Amino acid sequence: MSTKKVLVLGCGGIGSRYLQGLCSVEDILTIGFDPSEVSLGRCKDILGKVVSKKSEVYLTSSLNDIPKDIFLCINAVTANLRKESISMTENIFYSQYWILEKVLCQTINDLSCINKLLKTSKGTWINTPRTSMELYKKVKQLLIDGCNSNELEITVKGSNWGLACNSIHYIDLISWLTNEKLNCINTDQLEKWGEAKRKGFYETNGTLHCDFSGGTTLKLIDIPSEVNQTLVINKNNACIQINETTGDVTNEMGLLFHKPIVYQSKLTEHLVKNFLKTKSFPLIKLEESIYTHKILIEALTSHWVRQFPKKVLQIT
């Protein structure tokens, strides 16, 4: 197998985890780009703790160091820079395949631009990876076996989990579990916006209500008090509860199975190893995600302008 070039744009928190996972994949050359020497320094420290490396990672702050022929580009920059980072690099390299971090961007116009910029790629996927996890594959099979995959009442509840920036994870998951499309989102029960952990961005608590095409409803609840991250599926008095903090999946009878959530570095290793063989990811494709992101961004923007009428939505 010839050596494939994998590029990670953005070597901050999530980017460094991608790079960590790529160290365990054979037959690739990985390049990590970030204009910030501080981010590169932190990333180098993280990679230095990887015990068993099967491939090398080259870190750079210069666009001139990026090869022109990239097999897979993972765009892990913040949402406000997504469109710019894709546009800026289109004359520097061509990537056959892409993975984009969520949220894709902050405006409807940027969604349209990203879609156009990546039309020539062989495939683009969005990193909402619960659809690739064994935990949720088993949950989907439970729903299929019980003929309970539509008109579900689903509630996700957790503490300060980043409702605005992370809700797309669960919206994509429910679309995949039920084969239903997102119809609309209601933001009436969201709290005021406040500064997020990441400087320059904002978050909100409260409840998002999502309606899907087959009658399924999803409530996404983010509260300040400390609770485990749980997803509860209800239909006709039957209930499946997924405790993402512990990995336990239960129903009225007790424990069904235990399958912990897999985190980004390990996920990346598994996904890229399979991708080298199949040229496909078990992730949501760009075209589907553009549709869902449009509804999400419009809903969050309607809540945002009540507090910041002259600013662009600032989530990441």
Side-chain angles (χ1 to χ4, degrees), residues 277-288:
K277 300 173 186 174
T278 65
K279 306 297 187 295
S280 182
F281 287 110
L283 301 171
I284 302 298
K285 289 188 174 181
L286 177 63
E287 304 78 43
E288 301 169 56

Side-chain angles (χ1 to χ4, degrees), residues 139-149 152 235-236 238 240:
V139 169
K140 184 166 186 173
Q141 193 58 52
L142 286 174
L143 295 174
I144 292 170
D145 292 344
C147 300
N148 285 333
S149 57
L152 306 174
K235 182 171 183 180
N236 299 333
I240 298 173

Side-chain angles (χ1 to χ4, degrees), residues 149-152 154 174 178 180 210-212 214-218:
S149 57
N150 291 107
E151 295 186 346
L152 306 174
I154 303 174
I174 302 316
T178 63
E180 298 178 38
C210 307
D211 292 333
F212 290 81
T216 290
T217 61
L218 169 65

Side-chain angles (χ1 to χ4, degrees), residues 21 29 31 39 54 73 101 103 125 153 165 200 225 238 249 253-255 262 264 271 300 309:
L29 170 64
I31 304 98
S39 291
K54 295 181 180 177
C73 179
E101 259 304 312
V103 242
W125 294 265
E153 294 179 2
C165 70
S225 55
V249 178
M253 305 298 291
L255 182 67
V262 182
Q264 192 61 61
L271 289 173
L300 291 176

Side-chain angles (χ1 to χ4, degrees), residues 3-11 15-16 18-20 22-25 28-37 39-41 43-45 47-48 53-68 70 72 74:
T3 300
K4 307 288 188 184
K5 299 184 186 75
V6 178
L7 172 66
V8 177
L9 291 177
C11 299
S16 64
Y18 278 114
L19 291 165
Q20 198 174 11
L22 290 167
C23 285
S24 299
V25 181
I28 63 170
L29 170 64
T30 302
I31 304 98
F33 168 80
D34 198 298
S36 167
E37 293 293 347
S39 291
L40 292 178
C43 186
K44 188 175 180 180
D45 290 341
L47 297 180
K53 292 182 183 176
K54 295 181 180 177
S55 62
E56 288 302 314
V57 175
Y58 176 69
L59 301 177
T60 181
S61 59
S62 173
L63 290 170
N64 295 327
D65 292 334
I66 299 176
K68 294 188 181 299
I70 299 297
L72 170 66
I74 300 172

